[in-house]
Amino acid sequence: MMRTRPLKVALLGCGVVGSEVARIMTTHADDLTQRVGAPVELAGIAVRRPGRVRDGVPAELITTDATALVKRGDIDVVVEVIGGIEPARALITAAFEHGASVVSANKALLAQDGAALHAAAEQHGADLYYEAAVAGAIPLVRPLRESLAGDKVNRVLGIVNGTTNFILDKMDSSGAGYSEALDEATALGYAEADPTADVEGFDAAAKAAILAGIAFHTRVRLDDVYREGMTEVTAADFASAKQMGCTIKLLAICERAADGRSVTARVHPAMIPLGHPLASVREAYNAVFIEAEAAGQLMFYGPGAGGSPTASAVLGDLVAVCRNKLAESTGPGESAYTRLPVSPMGEVVTRYHISLDVADKPGVLAQVATVFAEHGVSIDTVRQQGKDGEAALVVVTHRAADAALSATVEALRKLDTVRGVASIMRVEGEKGE
Amino acid sequence: MMRTRPLKVALLGCGVVGSEVARIMTTHADDLTQRVGAPVELAGIAVRRPGRVRDGVPAELITTDATALVKRGDIDVVVEVIGGIEPARALITAAFEHGASVVSANKALLAQDGAALHAAAEQHGADLYYEAAVAGAIPLVRPLRESLAGDKVNRVLGIVNGTTNFILDKMDSSGAGYSEALDEATALGYAEADPTADVEGFDAAAKAAILAGIAFHTRVRLDDVYREGMTEVTAADFASAKQMGCTIKLLAICERAADGRSVTARVHPAMIPLGHPLASVREAYNAVFIEAEAAGQLMFYGPGAGGSPTASAVLGDLVAVCRNKLAESTGPGESAYTRLPVSPMGEVVTRYHISLDVADKPGVLAQVATVFAEHGVSIDTVRQQGKDGEAALVVVTHRAADAALSATVEALRKLDTVRGVASIMRVEGEKGE
């Protein structure tokens, strides 16, 4: 039954991930042949700087002309691990036009142009697989798209960025401030020289857009995702979290509204209870918690980045796409039939943990409580700590719309007795939500 | 693109899982249609006792003649949730012969006859999917078979039986003995009236056989799996585990030998460090830890049993199999090309935690240590506790072949100064293994 003509693979990009993909394809060629049902041949590797190519990557396959490689006409599968919008988008589109299927690890491109790329794949009868775009080696796209295809996902709650989890874990365990923890992450190679994409939540937001689209069978674009970074999380926030039996994580949260008529997707730091499975995710590990109607609560945990883990996800997709090629079929394409709209952040239902610096005199609590009541926000707990004529008031609310909660905070700022809002943090992942 | 002729599904069995499958197929019919690309019609439900059929299950579809239903000729997919060997095996075989693909939740049958069933499926160009057979709703078969298809799995370490995890968790948290914890599990519906299949490890062994076969691309039969139940785990064992910073779990462990030339599969209670992700799996939850060469360490967590979670897994498979039917293709079949043999338990490399009741007199430790040395087993730690002329000696070994460890224990039993072996427990899941 084994076909002898090999499937030809073009690899675009040969950095940390690409060189590992090339290495595994070479050293494990026999296993790939058995698992695909035909030999899989690395036919060419497009790089920008040929002088930089790593050990173990066959030099004779290197080219700087990615476009010519993709358009060669005999390529069955294009593996895109360049990242960024262009030239990745043009190359993937050209791949479909020339009869190739595509495996991509490009979260930014998928989050921005997933719908157009899926449409191009379908038009040309090709596959577009991208397990590696979300949380590295952790199977998430396939479980959501296939394992849970007969179920109804209601919530996805995940730690999908290893850099920020490393920093927050360090702050939690050592009491370090943000800058100090970031420096350590940079020194250990967990943070890039410019950490903006990670610490400001852009990377997590792209993953949230992809996960929400797949989970709810609708289209969620990067612009639809509410995003707050974690650069303003302080050691004092961690101290407050501990008092509540919580820790702080940067979470990507995708939810179906209670009435089922819309979805939301957001990325922000939040307090979660220490008993929640996500609370114990340490260092640069990722984990994603999925709640589905029939399945209940599932969690997927593993390394969310790195050359080898990402290559593992790419190769899993490569085997699947090659099998589909042999069977002259394609895997599941985009599923966006629900057309559920994405609601703005103001409609998200959540809880706030608010620390206020207030004057230490009678009547302040009553004043503050009145503001909450006027905005229809119900208070769960209040804790007062007084010293030297100043006092701190820590309020944890019940669940309410984010718009009502943020309007409450704005009104509190205007009170004479409130000297400042020391911190605001959402509280997520509690039982019974 | 939507096909209008429906795909016809025969459901065999309508107990806890089957009735939930029928309910979801009915209430979520529109979603299934969109996700499959054609309507999916429940064409018949075979039951043994038609009087027992549950609310919400269409009465007009009920039949007691499962064989006639399967052989009707117009069935596209047979969903088998009867369990047990016969008549499930005969019905599945008949389904393939009559052109249907099969989705099964039958771990006992798959573990015993997986190879023959896969061969029958392939012969008839049909699919055999069985995500629900291992750990309920937790995606494991698909991630191992597809997501990790380009990687090399070296170890699978899992809690795959909810009943025993509930009992052990209860013993751990409350200090209860085995009988007391079993009674509570029975009262709460976590244990069956006859708990043998769970507490003696038969259920977990079947899952270990299935997981090992898929993970290592070889054939592992139920008889190949070493099995010890957990009925002899005592409160004293938990006390010993705590002193070591461990807890006790019933684990299914599938490993590739260090030289890569064989595999092992086993089920037994073991101590694992409290810091291991599996240690914090509570109540009846399941979790499976997978170590792969490129992906690193992954963990999958969720409800391992129950009507709804198992139905979720069945329906995910049903959607996949229906899609394949429409595409006139099949998904990945059995992959057993490595033909790696399964080594006996004696060749497994592990560590023992041994509690000995010994005479409290000089020279006993030297005598005991000599026995270990004679068997080539190196001691990691020894702890002595004396009282009233008797003493307890707790020895934790370094890693050694199980045969050498068990021979050591036999030799210790023969020493005059050893009054008894109070407990033996393997230690697993440590770093650097």
Side-chain angles (χ1 to χ4, degrees), chain A residues 28 31 34-35 139 142 146-147 149 151 217 293-295 297-303 308-309 312 316 319 323 332 337, chain B residues 28 31 34-35 137 139 142 146-147 149 151 217 293-295 297-303 308-309 312 316 323 332 337:
Chain A
H28 290 28
D31 284 315
Q34 291 289 343
R35 296 176 191 185
R142 185 173 279 102
E146 303 183 40
S147 304
D151 206 332
H217 297 267
E293 195 174 88
Q297 301 187 321
L298 303 172
M299 190 174 82
F300 302 77
Y301 166 97
S308 292
S312 173
V319 170
R323 280 176 178 155
Y337 70 92
Chain B
H28 291 27
D31 284 316
Q34 291 289 342
R35 296 175 190 186
R142 186 174 277 102
E146 303 183 39
S147 304
D151 206 332
H217 298 266
E293 195 174 88
Q297 300 186 320
L298 303 172
M299 190 174 81
F300 302 78
Y301 165 97
S308 291
S312 173
R323 280 176 179 155
Y337 70 91

Short mmCIF file of all heavy atoms in Angstrom, two decimals, chain A residues 28 31 34-35 139 142 146-147 149 151 217 293-295 297-303 308-309 312 316 319 323 332 337, chain B residues 28 31 34-35 137 139 142 146-147 149 151 217 293-295 297-303 308-309 312 316 323 332 337:
data_model
loop_
_atom_site.label_atom_id
_atom_site.label_comp_id
_atom_site.label_asym_id
_atom_site.label_seq_id
_atom_site.Cartn_x
_atom_site.Cartn_y
_atom_site.Cartn_z
N HIS A 28 14.26 11.49 11.55
CA HIS A 28 13.14 10.57 11.77
C HIS A 28 12.40 10.29 10.48
O HIS A 28 11.19 10.03 10.48
CB HIS A 28 12.17 11.15 12.81
CG HIS A 28 12.73 11.18 14.20
ND1 HIS A 28 14.06 11.28 14.47
CD2 HIS A 28 12.12 11.10 15.42
CE1 HIS A 28 14.26 11.28 15.79
NE2 HIS A 28 13.10 11.17 16.38
N ASP A 31 10.30 7.00 10.32
CA ASP A 31 9.05 7.05 11.08
C ASP A 31 8.00 7.86 10.34
O ASP A 31 6.83 7.47 10.27
CB ASP A 31 9.30 7.66 12.47
CG ASP A 31 9.98 6.70 13.41
OD1 ASP A 31 9.56 5.52 13.45
OD2 ASP A 31 10.92 7.09 14.10
N GLN A 34 6.45 5.85 7.55
CA GLN A 34 5.49 4.86 8.04
C GLN A 34 4.17 5.51 8.46
O GLN A 34 3.10 4.98 8.23
CB GLN A 34 6.07 4.12 9.25
CG GLN A 34 7.25 3.20 8.90
CD GLN A 34 6.83 1.98 8.11
OE1 GLN A 34 5.65 1.61 8.08
NE2 GLN A 34 7.78 1.34 7.44
N ARG A 35 4.29 6.64 9.10
CA ARG A 35 3.08 7.26 9.67
C ARG A 35 2.24 7.96 8.60
O ARG A 35 1.02 8.04 8.73
CB ARG A 35 3.48 8.23 10.79
CG ARG A 35 4.14 7.45 11.93
CD ARG A 35 4.65 8.34 13.04
NE ARG A 35 5.49 7.56 13.95
CZ ARG A 35 6.01 8.02 15.08
NH1 ARG A 35 5.77 9.28 15.43
NH2 ARG A 35 6.76 7.26 15.84
N PRO A 139 -1.55 20.24 22.25
CA PRO A 139 -2.64 20.08 21.28
C PRO A 139 -3.86 20.88 21.74
O PRO A 139 -4.40 20.62 22.81
CB PRO A 139 -2.93 18.57 21.30
CG PRO A 139 -1.70 17.95 21.88
CD PRO A 139 -1.18 18.96 22.86
N ARG A 142 -6.46 21.05 17.38
CA ARG A 142 -7.07 19.77 16.99
C ARG A 142 -8.13 19.31 17.99
O ARG A 142 -9.24 18.95 17.58
CB ARG A 142 -5.99 18.71 16.78
CG ARG A 142 -6.53 17.39 16.26
CD ARG A 142 -5.43 16.41 15.89
NE ARG A 142 -4.85 16.65 14.60
CZ ARG A 142 -3.70 17.24 14.36
NH1 ARG A 142 -2.96 17.64 15.36
NH2 ARG A 142 -3.25 17.41 13.14
N GLU A 146 -11.68 19.07 16.46
CA GLU A 146 -12.07 17.69 16.16
C GLU A 146 -12.61 16.94 17.38
O GLU A 146 -13.72 16.42 17.35
CB GLU A 146 -10.90 16.95 15.53
CG GLU A 146 -10.39 17.67 14.26
CD GLU A 146 -9.27 16.93 13.57
OE1 GLU A 146 -9.30 15.70 13.48
OE2 GLU A 146 -8.33 17.61 13.09
N SER A 147 -11.85 16.88 18.47
CA SER A 147 -12.31 16.09 19.62
C SER A 147 -13.60 16.64 20.18
O SER A 147 -14.48 15.89 20.60
CB SER A 147 -11.24 16.08 20.72
OG SER A 147 -10.01 15.61 20.23
N ALA A 149 -15.79 18.41 18.50
CA ALA A 149 -16.66 18.80 17.38
C ALA A 149 -18.12 18.44 17.64
O ALA A 149 -19.02 19.00 17.01
CB ALA A 149 -16.17 18.14 16.09
N ASP A 151 -19.50 18.69 20.68
CA ASP A 151 -19.84 19.28 21.98
C ASP A 151 -20.02 20.79 21.80
O ASP A 151 -19.85 21.32 20.71
CB ASP A 151 -18.70 18.98 22.96
CG ASP A 151 -19.16 18.97 24.41
OD1 ASP A 151 -20.14 19.65 24.74
OD2 ASP A 151 -18.51 18.28 25.22
N HIS A 217 -17.05 28.45 16.74
CA HIS A 217 -17.44 28.31 15.33
C HIS A 217 -17.91 29.64 14.76
O HIS A 217 -18.97 29.75 14.16
CB HIS A 217 -18.53 27.23 15.18
CG HIS A 217 -18.07 25.87 15.60
ND1 HIS A 217 -17.54 24.96 14.74
CD2 HIS A 217 -18.04 25.28 16.82
CE1 HIS A 217 -17.21 23.85 15.38
NE2 HIS A 217 -17.49 24.03 16.66
N GLU A 293 -20.12 21.84 27.34
CA GLU A 293 -21.41 21.42 27.90
C GLU A 293 -21.40 19.95 28.33
O GLU A 293 -21.77 19.63 29.45
CB GLU A 293 -22.48 21.65 26.84
CG GLU A 293 -23.88 21.61 27.36
CD GLU A 293 -24.88 21.99 26.26
OE1 GLU A 293 -25.32 21.10 25.51
OE2 GLU A 293 -25.18 23.18 26.16
N ALA A 294 -20.98 19.06 27.45
CA ALA A 294 -21.00 17.63 27.78
C ALA A 294 -19.69 17.17 28.40
O ALA A 294 -19.69 16.39 29.35
CB ALA A 294 -21.32 16.79 26.53
N ALA A 295 -18.58 17.64 27.90
CA ALA A 295 -17.28 17.14 28.37
C ALA A 295 -16.98 17.60 29.79
O ALA A 295 -16.27 16.93 30.52
CB ALA A 295 -16.16 17.59 27.44
N GLN A 297 -15.04 20.00 32.41
CA GLN A 297 -13.81 20.80 32.46
C GLN A 297 -12.61 19.99 32.04
O GLN A 297 -12.29 18.97 32.65
CB GLN A 297 -13.61 21.32 33.88
CG GLN A 297 -14.78 22.19 34.34
CD GLN A 297 -14.51 22.84 35.67
OE1 GLN A 297 -13.94 22.23 36.56
NE2 GLN A 297 -14.94 24.08 35.82
N LEU A 298 -11.93 20.47 31.02
CA LEU A 298 -10.71 19.82 30.54
C LEU A 298 -9.55 20.78 30.69
O LEU A 298 -9.73 21.99 30.60
CB LEU A 298 -10.84 19.47 29.05
CG LEU A 298 -12.01 18.58 28.63
CD1 LEU A 298 -12.08 18.51 27.11
CD2 LEU A 298 -11.84 17.19 29.22
N MET A 299 -8.36 20.25 30.92
CA MET A 299 -7.19 21.12 30.91
C MET A 299 -6.07 20.50 30.09
O MET A 299 -5.84 19.29 30.15
CB MET A 299 -6.68 21.45 32.31
CG MET A 299 -5.63 22.57 32.25
SD MET A 299 -5.09 23.16 33.88
CE MET A 299 -3.88 21.90 34.27
N PHE A 300 -5.38 21.33 29.33
CA PHE A 300 -4.25 20.91 28.50
C PHE A 300 -3.04 21.72 28.95
O PHE A 300 -3.11 22.95 29.01
CB PHE A 300 -4.54 21.20 27.03
CG PHE A 300 -5.78 20.52 26.51
CD1 PHE A 300 -7.04 21.00 26.82
CD2 PHE A 300 -5.68 19.38 25.73
CE1 PHE A 300 -8.18 20.37 26.35
CE2 PHE A 300 -6.82 18.74 25.26
CZ PHE A 300 -8.07 19.23 25.58
N TYR A 301 -1.95 21.04 29.21
CA TYR A 301 -0.78 21.66 29.84
C TYR A 301 0.49 21.25 29.12
O TYR A 301 0.61 20.09 28.70
CB TYR A 301 -0.77 21.18 31.29
CG TYR A 301 0.50 21.40 32.07
CD1 TYR A 301 0.62 22.50 32.92
CD2 TYR A 301 1.56 20.51 31.98
CE1 TYR A 301 1.78 22.70 33.66
CE2 TYR A 301 2.73 20.72 32.71
CZ TYR A 301 2.83 21.81 33.55
OH TYR A 301 3.97 22.01 34.27
N GLY A 302 1.44 22.16 29.00
CA GLY A 302 2.71 21.80 28.39
C GLY A 302 3.55 23.01 28.05
O GLY A 302 3.20 24.14 28.41
N PRO A 303 4.67 22.80 27.34
CA PRO A 303 5.53 23.91 26.96
C PRO A 303 4.87 24.69 25.82
O PRO A 303 4.49 24.12 24.82
CB PRO A 303 6.82 23.24 26.50
CG PRO A 303 6.45 21.85 26.14
CD PRO A 303 5.21 21.49 26.90
N SER A 308 11.88 22.97 19.81
CA SER A 308 11.45 21.58 19.71
C SER A 308 9.94 21.41 19.92
O SER A 308 9.28 20.74 19.12
CB SER A 308 12.20 20.71 20.72
OG SER A 308 13.54 20.62 20.35
N PRO A 309 9.36 21.99 20.98
CA PRO A 309 7.91 21.81 21.15
C PRO A 309 7.11 22.35 19.96
O PRO A 309 6.14 21.71 19.52
CB PRO A 309 7.61 22.60 22.43
CG PRO A 309 8.88 22.58 23.20
CD PRO A 309 9.95 22.67 22.15
N SER A 312 7.34 19.98 17.14
CA SER A 312 6.49 18.81 17.35
C SER A 312 5.09 19.06 16.81
O SER A 312 4.50 18.23 16.12
CB SER A 312 6.43 18.46 18.84
OG SER A 312 5.48 17.43 19.08
N GLY A 316 3.26 17.21 13.62
CA GLY A 316 1.97 16.53 13.74
C GLY A 316 1.03 16.98 12.63
O GLY A 316 0.35 16.16 11.99
N VAL A 319 2.18 15.55 9.19
CA VAL A 319 1.75 14.16 8.96
C VAL A 319 0.27 14.14 8.55
O VAL A 319 -0.11 13.47 7.58
CB VAL A 319 1.98 13.29 10.22
CG1 VAL A 319 1.31 11.93 10.07
CG2 VAL A 319 3.48 13.11 10.46
N ARG A 323 -1.16 12.90 4.94
CA ARG A 323 -2.15 11.82 4.82
C ARG A 323 -3.35 12.28 3.99
O ARG A 323 -3.87 11.54 3.17
CB ARG A 323 -2.66 11.43 6.20
CG ARG A 323 -1.76 10.52 6.99
CD ARG A 323 -2.39 10.33 8.38
NE ARG A 323 -1.63 9.44 9.21
CZ ARG A 323 -1.66 9.45 10.54
NH1 ARG A 323 -2.41 10.36 11.18
NH2 ARG A 323 -0.96 8.59 11.23
N PRO A 332 -10.83 19.17 8.30
CA PRO A 332 -11.84 20.19 8.55
C PRO A 332 -11.30 21.58 8.27
O PRO A 332 -10.20 21.92 8.68
CB PRO A 332 -12.16 20.01 10.04
CG PRO A 332 -11.04 19.20 10.60
CD PRO A 332 -10.48 18.40 9.49
N TYR A 337 -19.93 28.92 11.10
CA TYR A 337 -21.34 28.98 10.74
C TYR A 337 -22.22 29.66 11.77
O TYR A 337 -23.32 30.11 11.46
CB TYR A 337 -21.88 27.57 10.47
CG TYR A 337 -22.00 26.72 11.70
CD1 TYR A 337 -23.18 26.68 12.44
CD2 TYR A 337 -20.92 25.98 12.16
CE1 TYR A 337 -23.28 25.91 13.59
CE2 TYR A 337 -21.01 25.22 13.31
CZ TYR A 337 -22.18 25.19 14.02
OH TYR A 337 -22.27 24.45 15.16
N HIS B 28 -28.89 18.83 19.43
CA HIS B 28 -27.86 19.63 18.73
C HIS B 28 -27.75 19.22 17.26
O HIS B 28 -26.68 19.33 16.67
CB HIS B 28 -26.51 19.49 19.42
CG HIS B 28 -26.44 20.14 20.77
ND1 HIS B 28 -27.54 20.32 21.57
CD2 HIS B 28 -25.41 20.69 21.46
CE1 HIS B 28 -27.18 20.93 22.70
NE2 HIS B 28 -25.90 21.16 22.65
N ASP B 31 -26.24 21.82 14.82
CA ASP B 31 -24.79 22.00 14.94
C ASP B 31 -24.04 20.84 14.29
O ASP B 31 -23.07 21.05 13.58
CB ASP B 31 -24.40 22.10 16.43
CG ASP B 31 -24.74 23.47 17.01
OD1 ASP B 31 -24.46 24.48 16.34
OD2 ASP B 31 -25.28 23.52 18.12
N GLN B 34 -23.97 21.20 10.54
CA GLN B 34 -23.01 22.20 10.08
C GLN B 34 -21.58 21.67 10.19
O GLN B 34 -20.75 21.93 9.32
CB GLN B 34 -23.13 23.47 10.94
CG GLN B 34 -24.42 24.23 10.72
CD GLN B 34 -24.47 24.92 9.36
OE1 GLN B 34 -23.45 25.11 8.70
NE2 GLN B 34 -25.67 25.27 8.94
N ARG B 35 -21.31 20.97 11.26
CA ARG B 35 -19.92 20.56 11.50
C ARG B 35 -19.52 19.38 10.63
O ARG B 35 -18.36 19.22 10.28
CB ARG B 35 -19.73 20.25 12.99
CG ARG B 35 -19.94 21.51 13.82
CD ARG B 35 -19.89 21.26 15.31
NE ARG B 35 -20.33 22.46 16.02
CZ ARG B 35 -20.29 22.59 17.33
NH1 ARG B 35 -19.82 21.62 18.08
NH2 ARG B 35 -20.72 23.71 17.91
N ALA B 137 -13.89 12.01 28.44
CA ALA B 137 -13.89 13.19 27.56
C ALA B 137 -12.50 13.71 27.25
O ALA B 137 -12.35 14.56 26.39
CB ALA B 137 -14.69 14.31 28.22
N PRO B 139 -9.30 14.28 25.50
CA PRO B 139 -8.72 13.86 24.23
C PRO B 139 -7.34 13.25 24.45
O PRO B 139 -6.44 13.91 24.96
CB PRO B 139 -8.61 15.18 23.43
CG PRO B 139 -9.55 16.12 24.10
CD PRO B 139 -9.52 15.72 25.56
N ARG B 142 -6.73 10.87 20.01
CA ARG B 142 -6.47 11.75 18.87
C ARG B 142 -5.14 12.50 19.03
O ARG B 142 -4.33 12.51 18.10
CB ARG B 142 -7.63 12.72 18.65
CG ARG B 142 -7.50 13.57 17.41
CD ARG B 142 -8.74 14.40 17.15
NE ARG B 142 -9.78 13.67 16.45
CZ ARG B 142 -10.86 13.15 17.00
NH1 ARG B 142 -11.07 13.29 18.28
NH2 ARG B 142 -11.75 12.50 16.29
N GLU B 146 -2.56 11.67 16.28
CA GLU B 146 -2.46 12.71 15.26
C GLU B 146 -1.54 13.87 15.66
O GLU B 146 -0.61 14.19 14.95
CB GLU B 146 -3.86 13.20 14.89
CG GLU B 146 -4.75 12.05 14.41
CD GLU B 146 -6.14 12.50 13.96
OE1 GLU B 146 -6.26 13.55 13.32
OE2 GLU B 146 -7.12 11.77 14.26
N SER B 147 -1.81 14.49 16.82
CA SER B 147 -1.01 15.67 17.18
C SER B 147 0.46 15.30 17.35
O SER B 147 1.34 16.07 16.98
CB SER B 147 -1.53 16.28 18.48
OG SER B 147 -2.90 16.60 18.38
N ALA B 149 1.95 12.76 15.94
CA ALA B 149 2.33 11.83 14.87
C ALA B 149 3.71 12.11 14.31
O ALA B 149 4.33 11.24 13.71
CB ALA B 149 1.30 11.88 13.74
N ASP B 151 6.23 13.11 16.29
CA ASP B 151 7.11 13.15 17.45
C ASP B 151 7.36 11.71 17.91
O ASP B 151 6.81 10.77 17.36
CB ASP B 151 6.45 13.98 18.57
CG ASP B 151 7.46 14.59 19.52
OD1 ASP B 151 8.55 14.03 19.69
OD2 ASP B 151 7.12 15.64 20.11
N HIS B 217 3.38 2.93 18.57
CA HIS B 217 3.16 2.38 17.23
C HIS B 217 3.49 0.89 17.19
O HIS B 217 4.23 0.42 16.33
CB HIS B 217 3.98 3.15 16.18
CG HIS B 217 3.60 4.59 16.08
ND1 HIS B 217 2.68 5.05 15.17
CD2 HIS B 217 3.98 5.67 16.81
CE1 HIS B 217 2.53 6.37 15.34
NE2 HIS B 217 3.30 6.76 16.33
N GLU B 293 9.80 13.26 22.75
CA GLU B 293 11.15 13.76 22.49
C GLU B 293 11.16 15.26 22.18
O GLU B 293 11.91 16.01 22.78
CB GLU B 293 11.73 12.96 21.32
CG GLU B 293 13.20 13.10 21.15
CD GLU B 293 13.69 12.17 20.05
OE1 GLU B 293 13.70 12.58 18.86
OE2 GLU B 293 14.06 11.03 20.37
N ALA B 294 10.34 15.69 21.24
CA ALA B 294 10.36 17.11 20.85
C ALA B 294 9.37 17.94 21.67
O ALA B 294 9.68 19.05 22.07
CB ALA B 294 10.05 17.26 19.35
N ALA B 295 8.19 17.41 21.92
CA ALA B 295 7.16 18.20 22.61
C ALA B 295 7.50 18.46 24.06
O ALA B 295 7.07 19.44 24.64
CB ALA B 295 5.80 17.50 22.52
N GLN B 297 7.04 17.71 28.02
CA GLN B 297 6.03 17.15 28.90
C GLN B 297 4.68 17.79 28.69
O GLN B 297 4.53 19.00 28.86
CB GLN B 297 6.47 17.35 30.35
CG GLN B 297 7.81 16.67 30.64
CD GLN B 297 8.18 16.73 32.10
OE1 GLN B 297 7.96 17.74 32.76
NE2 GLN B 297 8.74 15.65 32.61
N LEU B 298 3.70 16.99 28.37
CA LEU B 298 2.33 17.46 28.18
C LEU B 298 1.45 16.80 29.22
O LEU B 298 1.70 15.67 29.62
CB LEU B 298 1.82 17.09 26.79
CG LEU B 298 2.63 17.57 25.59
CD1 LEU B 298 2.08 16.95 24.31
CD2 LEU B 298 2.59 19.09 25.49
N MET B 299 0.39 17.49 29.64
CA MET B 299 -0.58 16.83 30.50
C MET B 299 -1.99 17.14 30.02
O MET B 299 -2.29 18.26 29.61
CB MET B 299 -0.45 17.22 31.96
CG MET B 299 -1.31 16.32 32.85
SD MET B 299 -1.11 16.59 34.62
CE MET B 299 -2.16 18.01 34.85
N PHE B 300 -2.85 16.13 30.08
CA PHE B 300 -4.24 16.24 29.69
C PHE B 300 -5.09 15.84 30.88
O PHE B 300 -4.88 14.78 31.46
CB PHE B 300 -4.54 15.29 28.51
CG PHE B 300 -3.69 15.54 27.30
CD1 PHE B 300 -2.38 15.10 27.24
CD2 PHE B 300 -4.22 16.22 26.21
CE1 PHE B 300 -1.59 15.34 26.12
CE2 PHE B 300 -3.44 16.46 25.08
CZ PHE B 300 -2.13 16.02 25.05
N TYR B 301 -6.04 16.68 31.22
CA TYR B 301 -6.78 16.52 32.49
C TYR B 301 -8.27 16.70 32.24
O TYR B 301 -8.68 17.54 31.44
CB TYR B 301 -6.26 17.61 33.44
CG TYR B 301 -7.07 17.89 34.66
CD1 TYR B 301 -6.74 17.31 35.88
CD2 TYR B 301 -8.15 18.77 34.61
CE1 TYR B 301 -7.49 17.59 37.01
CE2 TYR B 301 -8.90 19.04 35.75
CZ TYR B 301 -8.56 18.44 36.95
OH TYR B 301 -9.29 18.71 38.08
N GLY B 302 -9.10 15.93 32.93
CA GLY B 302 -10.54 16.12 32.80
C GLY B 302 -11.31 14.97 33.42
O GLY B 302 -10.74 14.10 34.08
N PRO B 303 -12.64 14.97 33.22
CA PRO B 303 -13.46 13.89 33.75
C PRO B 303 -13.24 12.62 32.95
O PRO B 303 -13.36 12.63 31.72
CB PRO B 303 -14.90 14.40 33.61
CG PRO B 303 -14.84 15.44 32.55
CD PRO B 303 -13.45 15.98 32.50
N SER B 308 -22.21 12.14 30.22
CA SER B 308 -22.00 13.29 29.34
C SER B 308 -20.57 13.38 28.82
O SER B 308 -20.36 13.54 27.61
CB SER B 308 -22.36 14.59 30.05
OG SER B 308 -23.75 14.65 30.26
N PRO B 309 -19.55 13.28 29.68
CA PRO B 309 -18.18 13.37 29.16
C PRO B 309 -17.88 12.27 28.13
O PRO B 309 -17.26 12.53 27.10
CB PRO B 309 -17.31 13.22 30.41
CG PRO B 309 -18.17 13.70 31.53
CD PRO B 309 -19.56 13.26 31.16
N SER B 312 -19.47 13.12 24.92
CA SER B 312 -18.73 14.16 24.20
C SER B 312 -17.65 13.55 23.33
O SER B 312 -17.48 13.92 22.16
CB SER B 312 -18.10 15.14 25.21
OG SER B 312 -17.26 16.06 24.55
N GLY B 316 -17.47 13.56 19.21
CA GLY B 316 -16.32 14.10 18.48
C GLY B 316 -15.86 13.10 17.42
O GLY B 316 -15.59 13.46 16.27
N ARG B 323 -17.41 12.98 8.57
CA ARG B 323 -16.66 13.78 7.59
C ARG B 323 -15.86 12.88 6.65
O ARG B 323 -15.80 13.11 5.44
CB ARG B 323 -15.67 14.70 8.31
CG ARG B 323 -16.26 15.96 8.87
CD ARG B 323 -15.13 16.68 9.63
NE ARG B 323 -15.57 17.94 10.20
CZ ARG B 323 -15.00 18.51 11.25
NH1 ARG B 323 -13.97 17.91 11.86
NH2 ARG B 323 -15.44 19.66 11.69
N PRO B 332 -6.63 7.97 10.16
CA PRO B 332 -5.50 7.07 10.40
C PRO B 332 -5.97 5.77 11.04
O PRO B 332 -6.77 5.78 11.96
CB PRO B 332 -4.62 7.87 11.37
CG PRO B 332 -5.47 8.96 11.91
CD PRO B 332 -6.53 9.24 10.90
N TYR B 337 3.78 -0.34 13.13
CA TYR B 337 4.93 -0.70 12.29
C TYR B 337 6.21 -0.92 13.07
O TYR B 337 7.12 -1.59 12.60
CB TYR B 337 5.16 0.37 11.21
CG TYR B 337 5.68 1.67 11.77
CD1 TYR B 337 7.06 1.91 11.87
CD2 TYR B 337 4.81 2.65 12.21
CE1 TYR B 337 7.53 3.10 12.40
CE2 TYR B 337 5.27 3.83 12.74
CZ TYR B 337 6.63 4.06 12.83
OH TYR B 337 7.09 5.23 13.36
#
